[in-house]
Structure formats: structure tokens, C-alpha cells
Amino acid sequence: MTPELEDLFAFLRFPSISTDSRNAGDVRACAEWLVAKLTGMGLKTSLHPTEGHPIVVAQNEHKPGRKTVLIYGHYDVQPVDPLNLWSNPPFEPVIRDGKIWARGSTDNKGQMLAHILGVEKTLKEKGDLPVNLTFLFEGEEEVGSGNLAPFLRANAELLKCDIIAISDTGMVAPGQPTLSYGLRGIAACEVILRGPARDLHSGIYGGAIRNPATEIARLVATFHDAEGRVQVEGFYEHVKPLEEWEREMWSTLPGTSDDDFLRYSGSSKTHGEAGYTSAERTWARPTAEINGIGGGYQGEGSKTVLPAEAFAKFTFRLVPNQDPADIMEKVKAHLDKHCPPGVSLLYVGGHDGKPFYTDPHSTFGQAAQRALRNAFGKEPVLIREGGSIPIVQAFRDILGTDTLLLGLALADSQIHSPDENFPVENFEAGIRLNQALLEELAK
Ligand code: BES
Ligand code: MN
């Protein structure tokens, strides 16, 4: 195995699941591994504790007259359940069929480490980088980056830069370099419906007392009409309409047909807002998703009970120019309007992040396109993304800096799912991409 893959395997072995407090020690150990790696490369590296998981910053010597580039990534990962659907244990990486299989292989450790190793290679080959570099790595992206914005505010001088680059988005097809110029924002919340004082006998009380499980089902069903339009009043008020040039450009892209969506999702039929393609629905239209719903008896067999409470977890994916706080107000009003008497509604707020949209043809955007062309030997395509990286718009709001999204994830990388994987080829391309990128951004 190459030393680069050995590094990646070591990085992947940390179960750095940010949402689970039982893994807090693993997340910290992973950050410490990064500090050792970056220090070993001769970078000035520091570990910054937060109220959550630590932030790692590493810099070369910043010299006057050079561009300053900040590369951001996240070393935390999503949970691994359902564990029984993994072909290999998620934190024991293996290579099979030319791919690295492990949680975090694509999202985001593989992509992030490719940048580190690109820098290491350039330093070995040339003794110096063509730019002033700042690495900024956090352990809370998968839980909404709540401690990073305050860190940006407190360390704006240290993190000052001309441009930011991130590899944490996708490629439309294998070998097809892809520059993303948009991300959806996100707003998360949870709703708990409480009914009777305790779980009741469903024979004695059923029919006379409102059932919270029935009511949560009714409530979540009010969020869409049959055509997939979100029914929250004012939801679409600030939505930036798709541009004709985008629709035209996207209509010719590989990897984005309905057949592709069906193949990679393992579903039997696409469904969404009428009048839009699947790519348009996911990249440029806002949505409401139920991420979890529950209440009542979940064990084996049956239990005749009328549950005392039921819950649903929601996220709303937002597009320019929707604002997460404004959307949450509208959602609350919708929930209150549809909550029937006999149950009470407890609203629990969650993380949020603004949508992002930039110009892929800016000077730095053009440099990114040249770097992608050099690294892949092919003309890059321009897309938006359906996923969210909550800190990206905050980079602009707090540091005043734009971000380039040069992603290496594939449609079948299965990020957030069992059997997450990353092609060795993409890992190697990521190392080349970092070298080409710093060279092009320096110009
Ligand atoms: N890398 C993803 C975001 C992504 C995935 C962008 C695919 C474009 C294409 C990132 O790590 C992620 O999963 N973010 C979360 C953020 C949330 C938990 C606040 C997301 O989008 O669900
Ligand atoms: Mn992710």
C-alpha cells in the first residue's frame, strides 16, 4: 500500500461520529492525529477546543505578495447505523474493486486528506507552496457547524484569506470534473405531540381520546400537496427562480437523468415538485423532508396502547434567497395552525445554515476550472448541489471571502449510508487537484 493510502486508512480508523457523545474521545483523538500529521509536514498547527469538538488550524509561513488560500474540511462523520447492512466494519477500511470502503472515505476524510497530501507532495517536490495556505478543519460539520461561526468571528485576522476551497461536494459522473457554484441551505427542527398523561389501554380509551401517533402522521402530511409542492404559507416567497441558462446547461449533463436517480437511489419512481427535472428539484428548489417519525410501541409483536406522545424530525433544504430563520417562523405558524385540540405541540429548534450561490466565472472560479481541467484532463461542468455545507455562506458573511467547491464524491459513494466508499482513483485525482489548484490560484 502507498504511504498516502496508509495515511488515509489511519485517518479512517477513528470513529469520529460527531453527533454521538459516546464518541467524543474518538473525535478528539482524530483531531490530534491531524495535528501530528500537519505538524510533521512543517506547518504551524494548533488545536482549538470548543464547546463541542475541536477545530484544527495549520499554516505555512505567510509571505507578503502571495495569495492566501484557505482550505476547509471536516473530520467528523455521520453515524453508521444500520450496522448490519455494511459489507465490512465501517471503521476498518478495506480496498475492494478499486474503492476504499469505510465511513468517511468520501465524506469527508478522503477528499480532505487529498488536499493535505497534495500540499505535502508540493512541499517535498518544491520546498515551498506557491501561496500562503491556511488549513481549517472542524469536527462538527455533520451536526451543523454550530461552534465554527463564533470561531471565525474571534479569529478573523488569523483566517483572513483571498479565497476558500473545499472538496466536499460531488462529481456528476466518474472522471467528469465538476465545479459547484451553489449549495442548498438547511433548517432543522423536531416536533413532539403530547396527548394523554401516560400510554393508555387502546381498548378502554381508543375512540374517545385523540391519538398523538395519528395526529403526527396527519401533521406531517400537511407539508406537501400531491404534486410535491410545500404547503407552508410563504415558503416560496424569496426563492430565486432558476435561470434559463442553468436549465439548458444542466439538461445535457451526464449522470443526472431520472434513470440515474433511480439507479443510484434504488427507488422505483422519481417524485417531486411538478415542472422540474430531478437535478433541478434537488439543486435549485427548496424542500421539506421528514427525517424521522415515531411514537408508540416499537417492540416485537403487538401492544394495544394509545401512546402518550409522538414525534417527527424535519429538515428544510433552502435555496437562494430563503433565510433559515424566516422559514422556521413560517414552519412554526404552519404547525400551530394544523395542531388539533387534545394534543399539545412542543417545538424543538435545530441547526441551520444559509444557502450559497456564487459566480463560477469569477477570476478564482476560472482558476478552479483550469485546475480541474489539468487534474482530470477533461473540461469541467458547472452545477449546483442539493446538499449543505452550513459554514460556506458564513465564510462570506464573516470573513468576506468567496468559496470554490471542487467535489470528488460520486453518485454511488453512498455518503451517510452503509457501504460508503471512495474510488482510489478519485483520491489520487484529489492530490493532483490540490497541486494544480494552488498553482492556478497563485497566478
Ligand atoms: N458533504 C456533505 C454535503 C454535500 C453532499 C454537498 C453531497 C453536496 C453533495 C456534507 O458533509 C453534509 O452531509 N452536510 C450535511 C449538513 C447538515 C448535517 C447540517 C447535509 O447536507 O445533510
Ligand atoms: Mn456529510
Side-chain angles (χ1 to χ4, degrees):
M1 203 158 54
T2 64
E4 288 81 9
L5 281 168
E6 302 237 1
D7 274 345
L8 180 55
F9 273 39
F11 193 23
L12 289 170
R13 283 193 191 103
F14 294 97
S16 50
I17 303 168
S18 49
T19 196
D20 196 329
S21 55
R22 290 170 301 182
N23 290 92
D26 302 307
V27 180
R28 178 159 184 113
C30 189
E32 281 163 0
W33 181 88
L34 270 176
V35 169
K37 174 73 201 171
L38 295 161
T39 308
M41 286 163 50
L43 301 180
K44 190 173 170 223
T45 307
S46 45
L47 184 126
H48 304 262
T50 72
E51 277 171 34
H53 304 301
I55 293 165
V56 175
V57 177
Q59 296 181 319
N60 64 345
E61 187 198 339
H62 286 197
K63 299 176 183 166
R66 294 200 301 203
K67 297 265 167 50
T68 302
V69 179
L70 185 148
I71 296 177
Y72 161 88
H74 65 93
Y75 64 88
D76 64 319
V77 299
Q78 287 270 333
V80 294
D81 63 287
L83 193 56
N84 62 315
L85 294 184
W86 287 78
S87 308
N88 287 90
F91 298 108
E92 293 171 28
V94 291
I95 295 180
R96 192 170 12 95
D97 304 328
K99 297 171 179 183
I100 303 140
W101 300 79
R103 170 59 87 232
S105 54
T106 287
D107 184 10
N108 175 236
K109 288 173 175 172
Q111 298 190 71
M112 164 185 155
L113 188 69
H115 279 288
I116 297 177
L117 298 177
V119 165
E120 183 175 46
K121 195 153 180 244
T122 305
L123 286 173
K124 270 192 196 142
E125 287 168 0
K126 308 228 160 109
D128 197 4
L129 299 175
V131 297
N132 299 328
L133 178 77
T134 300
F135 277 132
L136 173 66
F137 300 130
E138 69 156 320
E140 298 191 297
E141 194 272 351
E142 298 291 6
V143 289
S145 300
N147 289 300
L148 190 53
F151 183 80
L152 299 184
R153 275 184 219 106
N155 295 278
E157 201 45 45
L158 174 77
L159 302 172
K160 196 167 177 252
C161 55
D162 298 299
I163 187 70
I164 295 167
I166 306 178
S167 292
D168 194 22
T169 48
M171 296 168 62
V172 290
Q176 174 57 63
T178 304
L179 181 66
S180 298
Y181 61 93
L183 290 166
R184 286 200 289 187
I186 192 165
C189 71
E190 182 172 346
V191 172
I192 301 165
L193 286 189
R194 296 209 168 120
R198 68 198 73 83
D199 286 8
L200 303 172
H201 189 295
S202 62
I204 300 175
Y205 292 100
I209 297 294
R210 223 186 255 277
N211 184 324
T214 306
E215 297 313 323
I216 200 81
R218 217 195 283 282
L219 191 59
V220 302
T222 62
F223 274 82
H224 300 90
D225 70 9
E227 263 76 57
R229 289 270 301 182
V230 177
Q231 298 299 293
V232 174
E233 203 177 317
F235 189 72
Y236 294 96
E237 194 184 341
H238 300 294
V239 169
K240 174 179 156 55
L242 261 157
E243 308 267 354
E244 242 353 276
W245 62 267
E246 298 183 284
R247 305 191 84 165
E248 207 171 299
M249 181 170 76
W250 295 348
S251 70
T252 63
L253 290 177
T256 59
S257 69
D258 272 9
D259 278 351
D260 291 308
F261 271 83
L262 294 180
R263 186 165 66 246
Y264 293 122
S265 65
S267 184
S268 60
K269 185 146 182 17
T270 59
H271 173 72
E273 193 185 355
Y276 297 94
T277 67
S278 292
E280 290 166 352
R281 285 168 176 168
T282 54
W283 296 349
R285 299 296 300 169
T287 54
E289 295 297 335
I290 316 301
N291 304 119
I293 182 165
Y297 182 60
Q298 311 274 321
E300 191 181 343
S302 100
K303 182 185 182 201
T304 48
V305 72
L306 192 165
E309 61 176 55
F311 72 90
K313 290 172 185 275
F314 296 82
T315 47
F316 300 85
R317 295 283 172 170
L318 311 179
V319 301
N321 299 301
Q322 288 177 299
D323 175 63
D326 173 58
I327 290 296
M328 270 352 247
E329 285 311 309
K330 289 171 170 158
V331 166
K332 268 191 221 163
H334 179 92
L335 290 166
D336 287 338
K337 189 170 103 189
H338 287 91
C339 180
V343 291
S344 63
L345 189 152
L346 182 73
Y347 169 92
V348 186
H351 59 72
D352 65 18
K354 289 182 187 170
F356 175 72
Y357 185 88
T358 189
D359 173 15
H361 304 297
S362 67
T363 309
F364 285 127
Q366 289 177 35
Q369 291 189 47
R370 289 196 301 275
L372 285 163
R373 199 179 299 127
N374 293 350
F376 287 90
K378 202 170 168 184
E379 199 56 35
V381 295
L382 308 177
I383 68 164
R384 295 204 235 164
E385 281 286 11
S388 308
I389 308 175
I391 204 62
V392 176
Q393 180 56 33
F395 281 143
R396 190 185 266 156
D397 293 342
I398 298 168
L399 301 179
T401 316
D402 198 14
T403 297
L404 303 166
L405 300 162
L406 309 102
L408 302 168
L410 296 183
D412 61 357
S413 292
Q414 304 193 174
I415 68 174
H416 296 203
S417 299
D419 279 348
E420 180 175 350
N421 64 88
F422 191 44
V424 175
E425 197 183 314
N426 288 32
F427 181 52
E428 288 166 352
I431 296 173
R432 290 199 301 277
L433 177 61
N434 170 272
Q435 297 194 281
L437 182 67
L438 296 190
E439 208 168 288
E440 294 297 338
L441 292 176
K443 287 181 182 165

